[in-house]
Amino acid sequence: SNKKRYSAKSLCTPQNFARVQTTHPSGITHFCKRHLSIQTQDTPNPQSLKFLPGKPVLGTGTLDFPSASSAGSSTLARLCIIEGVKSVFFGPYFITVTKTDEDVDWTIKRHVSEAIETFFKSGYPITTGAVYNESSHCEDDDDIVSIIKELLDTRIRPTVQEDGGDVIFKGFDSGTVKLKLVGSCTGCPSSTVTLKNGIQNMLQFYIPEVDSVEQVEDEVDEISAKVF
């Protein structure tokens, strides 16, 4: 990846500061202007795209902005939610942008890249809100819940973050693990397969007490879905 990033930067010469778009065989697109290299990468969700600015976004943890109204704590999120963008998700080193629907063309990624570039030149903090790092371990957690959280943090979440999303533990009740999927996982056609064939199978392999895994939404998300 270092070689790809270098080759993208080398296109930005002092003689030509114009933005250059190059598409590599890997499906990664590079947007260059001056010395900032922004890569875009496909996700399993055709409505979501990962933007990699070549520098830390959160550094650690993730943060979800499911709508424009939720982006108040972040100038970067507000800049990215342009017309045609439904939600923005921050990872350690990437930004996932999700379109409102399939009718919106991905030509908007140029405008999102410009917004990201503008932000990183501003010097503003990424966010003033709380960042989701690891599943919070409570003294009240029993052994099963502790193991579930550990498996999520060490075995599952890193893989899901590679795809531009994240998994948040919301509870364990009567054999059912309740999880919230965010970022590119929201509305992804393959999210059910990920839950059942991936996460559920892994948790059941290590924890016989787990009967099933189900996706849940926060009350705020359900209200937003009804409004929009």
Side-chain angles (χ1 to χ4, degrees), residues 114-150:
E114 290 172 349
I116 295 171
E117 179 182 10
T118 298
F119 171 80
F120 277 106
K121 287 180 179 178
S122 73
Y124 288 124
I126 296 289
T127 179
T128 56
V131 175
Y132 182 76
N133 286 303
E134 295 182 347
S135 304
S136 56
H137 294 268
C138 307
E139 291 183 4
D140 295 338
D141 289 347
D142 59 28
D143 291 344
I144 296 174
V145 171
S146 294
I147 297 172
I148 291 172
K149 289 180 176 180
E150 183 178 349

Side-chain angles (χ1 to χ4, degrees), residues 81-117:
I81 300 184
I82 59 175
E83 184 177 357
V85 172
K86 176 184 178 183
S87 62
V88 174
F89 174 81
F90 294 166
Y93 294 90
F94 65 86
I95 301 157
T96 298
V97 171
T98 301
K99 301 187 299 181
T100 51
D101 54 59
E102 59 185 14
D103 294 332
V104 176
D105 192 271
W106 270 123
T107 51
I108 62 171
K109 65 186 177 183
R110 179 176 296 278
H111 302 296
V112 174
S113 293
E114 290 172 349
I116 295 171
E117 179 182 10

